[in-house]
Amino acid sequence: MDKFYEYLHTVSFEETNIVGNVYYVNYLRWQGRCREMFLKERAPDVLAELQDDLKLFTLKVDCAFFAEITAFDELSIRMRLVELGQTQIEFSFDYVRLDQGGAETLVARGHQRVACMRGPNTKTVPTRVPESLFRALAPYATHRRPA
């Protein structure tokens, strides 16, 4: 089994719509939250760089839905590394409902492509993935950074 970073989440009422199921935009929010928690736990040096001039631009995001979830469902959002390039990173996200009795149900799957950029807003340019982030992601890599 390939490695993944796991973010656990309990769905709240505020994340549901009038019908009672989770509003689709929350899946994208959870991707961002999962990625942020990964940085906090596995690459805290990058957080300091983000306060300086590093920017992580989300270039593409998607999510496919397989089953509905509702308030108080327990989720495991599992982030996997799809590609680790020189300036871009691609992640996949499995949204797994953790049912009573230990059963797991895949309820959605998403992807996200991120570019590392530096510089002022009017002159932002691509930059290499920071070394501390590269090291944190390396154990999950199936593709290596070109030399």
Side-chain angles (χ1 to χ4, degrees):
M1 181 76 175
D2 52 341
K3 293 178 74 174
F4 57 83
Y5 173 81
E6 181 177 48
Y7 166 65
L8 298 174
H9 181 75
T10 302
V11 177
S12 67
F13 281 128
E14 72 178 334
E15 295 169 315
T16 62
N17 60 24
I18 197 163
V19 178
N21 56 3
V22 170
Y23 189 59
Y24 73 93
V25 74
N26 288 302
Y27 291 84
L28 303 182
R29 291 179 56 220
W30 298 334
Q31 282 186 21
R33 179 77 172 155
C34 185
R35 189 178 81 184
E36 290 168 4
M37 296 310 293
F38 175 85
L39 291 175
K40 179 181 182 241
E41 294 175 17
R42 306 284 167 91
D45 297 1
V46 175
L47 297 177
E49 290 191 58
L50 288 168
Q51 295 296 319
D52 189 17
D53 76 338
L54 177 66
K55 296 166 182 67
L56 298 178
F57 281 15
T58 302
L59 301 174
K60 181 179 179 183
V61 64
D62 67 53
C63 194
F65 307 100
F66 310 125
E68 290 187 0
I69 55 175
T70 60
F72 303 109
D73 279 345
E74 300 287 337
L75 296 179
S76 166
I77 293 111
R78 299 173 180 173
M79 183 177 78
R80 290 181 172 83
L81 180 65
V82 174
E83 182 181 354
L84 178 56
Q86 288 189 17
T87 63
Q88 294 185 13
I89 308 164
E90 185 173 344
F91 301 102
S92 69
F93 296 85
D94 285 349
Y95 301 79
V96 178
R97 184 177 53 227
L98 305 174
D99 300 316
Q100 292 182 355
E104 296 184 348
T105 304
L106 180 66
V107 297
R109 177 168 289 141
H111 293 87
Q112 190 176 109
R113 180 167 278 283
V114 176
C116 295
M117 309 285 277
R118 288 195 187 270
N121 288 339
T122 58
K123 296 184 182 182
T124 305
V125 296
T127 189
R128 290 179 68 90
V129 173
E131 196 59 38
S132 60
L133 181 54
F134 178 77
R135 284 192 308 273
L137 290 168
Y140 304 92
T142 56
H143 298 85
R144 296 287 180 197
R145 177 192 296 203

